[in-house]
Amino acid sequence: MPTPFGHAMAAVAGGMIFARREQMTRRFWILSLICAELPDLDIAAFVLRIPYAHFFGHRGFFHSLFFAGVMSLVFTSIYFSDSKTVLREKGPFIVYFFLLGASHGILDTFTNGGLGIALFSPFDTTRYFFPWRPILVSPIGLRPFLTMQGWLVLLSEIQWILLPSAGLVILTRLPTKYLRKNVY
């Protein structure tokens, strides 16, 4: 799995691409980060002695697109909890939070370790990887992470998550700033 830093990089980039400045509230950023990280709470399965390959094991149901969809509905309702916003205005946020939740499992399919990700659970519990897996899998636990392997994982995430994410943010932000500055 990518580290929490890798998933947070994707969430920050997604938020910067998606939201207008006035939407980037503290609540927006907290929900965005939690949404991108939440699927990894299934590492509790190790403590609970749930086998890795089990439906609720690590990288199982909670890494699925279905779970991302459920999460997006919950997080959108939390984001708009203090308003009477109509569904038409909530729709883009449902898609945004879904994409953040889905990004977790999808990023994990690009890692070079584990049993794969149950992207289509609960309908299909097959675990998938992409054929090309350039992101080094993170060791689980703080002590193993504070080794040379942990540093190599972070370098891998900088190369394969941070730099492409920053590039997407720049590509989506520059045209808008350029047009505002030169057209209006």
Side-chain angles (χ1 to χ4, degrees):
M1 73 181 153
T3 67
F5 303 114
H7 292 298
M9 291 177 213
V12 169
M16 292 179 74
I17 291 167
F18 170 76
R20 295 185 312 269
R21 189 167 306 283
E22 65 272 8
Q23 294 170 320
M24 293 182 187
T25 63
R26 178 186 206 142
R27 181 185 300 187
F28 172 81
W29 286 115
I30 290 170
L31 291 172
S32 295
L33 290 169
I34 292 172
C35 191
E37 303 284 351
L38 191 64
D40 267 344
L41 285 181
D42 67 7
I43 61 170
F46 294 128
V47 175
L48 299 171
R49 301 196 191 286
I50 296 171
Y52 196 132
H54 188 274
F55 180 83
F56 290 115
H58 183 52
R59 293 180 159 187
F61 173 73
F62 296 108
H63 281 60
S64 71
L65 299 175
F66 181 85
F67 183 73
V70 171
M71 239 188 349
S72 72
L73 295 172
V74 171
F75 280 57
T76 301
S77 68
I78 292 169
Y79 181 74
F80 289 105
S81 64
D82 56 356
S83 70
K84 302 261 189 252
T85 308
V86 296
L87 181 60
R88 181 173 30 96
E89 294 173 37
K90 291 179 181 179
F93 284 87
I94 293 170
V95 172
Y96 167 72
F97 287 123
F98 169 77
L99 291 173
L100 282 186
S103 76
H104 189 106
I106 291 169
L107 282 174
D108 281 3
T109 64
F110 283 102
T111 62
N112 67 348
L115 298 179
I117 290 68
L119 283 175
F120 303 109
S121 184
F123 310 106
D124 172 16
T125 57
T126 305
R127 296 197 175 215
Y128 296 93
F129 276 119
F130 275 100
W132 179 61
R133 302 184 303 171
I135 302 171
L136 297 179
V137 71
S138 176
I140 296 177
L142 183 59
R143 185 168 297 212
F145 185 74
L146 296 175
T147 65
M148 182 55 77
Q149 180 61 27
W151 289 108
L152 292 173
V153 167
L154 286 177
L155 289 173
S156 169
E157 291 182 358
I158 289 169
Q159 180 180 5
W160 298 109
I161 301 172
L162 177 65
L163 294 176
S165 295
L168 282 172
V169 170
I170 290 168
L171 285 173
T172 58
R173 290 279 177 143
L174 278 180
T176 308
K177 285 186 176 188
Y178 177 79
L179 287 173
R180 263 189 255 139
K181 188 175 183 180
N182 294 308
V183 174
Y184 299 112

